[in-house]
Amino acid sequence: QVQLVESGGGLVQSGGSLRLSCTASGRIFAIDNMEWYRQAPGKRRELVARISSGGTSDYAESVKGRFAISEDSAKNTAYLQMNSLKPEDTAVYLCKARMRPVGTFNWDDYWGQGTQVTVSS
């Protein structure tokens, strides 16, 4: 069974930093894009950052220059380094990856359970 697990969330003061991790596990043949989303109470889920299997990344305008996405393909892990955090960054952060399990030809999107990030003012 293929799954994603996020970690690294927590409570931080405004201006602080956190690094989130998203690790894929199970019988994985290949991973394509890995993405970080966030969802705050009462708001729509929004894409924060994306990294392709080739290493190309892009970001939401609201986090450009503050957040950086990276990956360690050997560990099937994506990271989100978040600097200069603001109270408006408070949300549940979720990882999504497009993966192909071993033994199939199907590419599917998998989601993690999310990790809470709270930024105090």
Side-chain angles (χ1 to χ4, degrees):
Q1 185 175 350
V2 174
Q3 64 177 352
L4 291 174
V5 178
E6 302 102 330
S7 62
L11 173 64
V12 65
Q13 289 188 333
S14 181
S17 299
L18 284 173
R19 189 176 83 152
L20 306 182
S21 299
C22 170
T23 299
S25 63
R27 302 184 71 231
I28 301 166
F29 180 81
I31 300 175
D32 193 6
N33 293 344
M34 297 188 80
E35 301 171 332
W36 283 99
Y37 287 76
R38 67 185 180 187
Q39 188 162 21
K43 295 188 177 180
R44 294 177 61 182
R45 186 173 295 183
E46 64 170 338
L47 176 63
V48 175
R50 171 192 292 125
I51 188 164
S52 71
S53 57
T56 302
S57 59
D58 60 273
Y59 301 89
E61 284 296 324
S62 59
V63 306
K64 279 184 179 178
R66 300 188 298 123
F67 291 11
I69 190 170
S70 60
E71 65 173 353
D72 184 337
S73 57
K75 296 181 179 179
N76 288 339
T77 298
Y79 303 96
L80 186 67
Q81 178 67 43
M82 305 186 296
N83 300 324
S84 302
L85 282 161
K86 305 175 182 179
E88 52 263 44
D89 294 318
T90 295
V92 174
Y93 283 71
L94 303 107
C95 178
K96 187 180 86 170
R98 189 157 185 82
M99 299 189 285
R100 178 181 160 185
V102 170
T104 79
F105 293 100
N106 300 323
W107 289 89
D108 290 310
D109 290 331
Y110 294 80
W111 289 87
Q113 81 288 351
T115 185
Q116 177 70 44
V117 171
T118 303
V119 185
S120 63
S121 57

